[in-house]
């Protein structure tokens, strides 16, 4: 877990329907390389009918070739460290 996502997870405990916190948590997960939890946050935003915020979060990954490259390198390093 990362420090940013830990803080945001605690914030969600008190503000369960705060779309902005779910958005920021999704970003934190993405930058930590946790695509599964990132996608979970996208789904939560969709369930809450906040399609604009869900689209914005999904577009971070879809529109950023630099971010995709970063995540690919991060996964590669993680897989090398587990061998």
């Amino acid at each position: 877990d990362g420090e940013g996502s830990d803080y945001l997870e605690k914030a969600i405990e008190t503000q369960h329907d705060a779309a902005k916190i779910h958005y920021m948590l999704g970003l934190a997960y993405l930058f930590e390389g946790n695509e599964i939890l990132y996608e979970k946050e996208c789904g939560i935003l969709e369930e809450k009918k906040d399609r604009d915020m869900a689209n914005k979060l999904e577009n971070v990954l879809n529109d950023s070739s630099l971010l995709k490259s970063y995540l690919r390198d991060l996964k590669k390093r993680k897989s090398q460290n587990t061998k």
Side-chain angles (χ1 to χ4, degrees):
D1 286 333
E3 197 172 304
S5 60
D6 291 342
Y7 173 79
L8 292 166
E9 286 168 356
K10 289 177 184 169
I12 283 181
E13 289 175 9
T14 60
Q15 299 179 4
H16 299 285
D17 62 342
K20 190 170 187 174
I21 295 174
H22 284 287
Y23 172 80
M24 292 178 357
L25 185 55
L27 287 178
Y29 288 142
L30 187 60
F31 284 104
E32 291 169 5
N34 192 333
E35 288 185 68
I36 293 170
L37 291 177
Y38 156 79
E39 289 176 7
K40 178 183 173 191
E41 294 304 315
C42 289
I44 289 170
L45 288 170
E46 289 176 5
E47 288 172 11
K48 294 184 177 301
K49 307 291 189 247
D50 196 330
R51 192 71 211 138
D52 289 339
M53 194 69 84
N55 284 338
K56 188 175 178 182
L57 183 56
E58 290 167 356
N59 287 336
V60 170
L61 182 60
N62 295 335
D63 292 343
S64 175
S65 59
L66 180 60
L67 182 57
K68 287 179 184 179
S69 176
Y70 166 77
L71 291 173
R72 188 171 40 251
D73 291 344
L74 183 63
K75 283 182 180 181
K76 190 180 207 178
R77 283 185 297 226
K78 282 184 178 181
S79 68
Q80 289 172 347
N81 289 338
T82 59
K83 292 181 182 178

